[in-house]
Amino acid sequence: MYQKEFMMEAIELSKKCLETGKGGPFGAVVVKEGKIVGRGSNHVTLDNDPTAHAEVMAIRDACRNLKTFQLTGCEIYTSCEPCPMCLGAIYWARPERIYFAANQNDAADAGFDDSFIYDEIAIEPQDRKIPSTQENRAEAVNVFQLWKNCASKVDY
């Protein structure tokens, strides 16, 4: 259920990021049962980490606080529509719902244009701007086979 105060907290985190000079204008919160269980803001430049987007930071914080690797029963509120990386991270975390404020066009207008990534995903790996080459598939598939047969694995 959408709660305006959670979205406003995400937007406030994005604003604080600018005011403190810690990163770009992005903030996110993870909510479970009406309580914020994780917060994140953009720390890409602060941490020298291109994966330190607000949504990823909020997911990490929530998972630490909840002591789990999945956000079942949670909602994510983010100040901007998630980029492809964050959307992937959100899907892996498996929350119930995503709420966002600004959209990808608003982000592009501010200099955060992710359209090239969406375009690249549809291109064959070897033809992308950063070419990919598959090597040693058989050896890697053998490890997956070991995983499939591992009695102590934790599915996720």
Side-chain angles (χ1 to χ4, degrees):
M1 184 171 99
Y2 175 74
Q3 299 287 329
K4 186 175 181 179
E5 65 265 22
F6 299 137
M7 183 61 77
M8 293 308 297
E9 176 68 15
I11 293 169
E12 187 60 29
L13 285 168
S14 71
K15 187 177 174 190
K16 284 181 185 174
C17 224
L18 290 180
E19 293 170 353
T20 60
K22 291 184 176 178
F26 301 95
V29 296
V30 177
V31 175
K32 184 167 188 168
E33 298 172 355
K35 287 181 54 182
I36 295 176
V37 295
R39 288 179 169 78
S41 56
N42 184 285
H43 283 202
V44 170
T45 56
L46 179 68
D47 294 348
N48 293 315
D49 179 355
T51 68
H53 289 201
E55 297 90 340
V56 172
M57 301 297 279
I59 289 168
R60 290 173 182 167
D61 188 43
C63 287
R64 271 191 305 273
N65 292 333
L66 296 173
K67 297 178 178 28
T68 183
F69 55 84
Q70 292 186 339
L71 298 177
T72 306
C74 294
E75 299 173 331
I76 295 182
Y77 291 78
T78 180
S79 65
C80 187
E81 183 177 1
C83 74
M85 177 187 69
C86 291
L87 188 60
I90 290 167
Y91 270 82
W92 278 115
R94 293 178 175 84
E96 303 296 320
R97 190 167 184 98
I98 306 164
Y99 295 97
F100 63 91
N103 65 33
Q104 63 182 282
N105 296 320
D106 300 319
D109 184 58
F112 299 95
D113 189 355
D114 297 323
S115 63
F116 75 97
I117 299 172
Y118 288 107
D119 293 342
E120 286 286 295
I121 290 170
I123 298 171
E124 289 296 318
Q126 68 276 8
D127 297 327
R128 294 178 181 156
K129 287 187 171 73
I130 300 175
S132 298
T133 304
Q134 186 176 26
E135 301 288 346
N136 298 88
R137 179 175 179 258
E139 292 84 354
V141 171
N142 284 338
V143 177
F144 283 135
Q145 189 61 44
L146 292 171
W147 167 258
K148 288 166 54 175
N149 297 325
C150 182
S152 63
K153 72 180 175 190
V154 176
D155 289 323
Y156 61 96

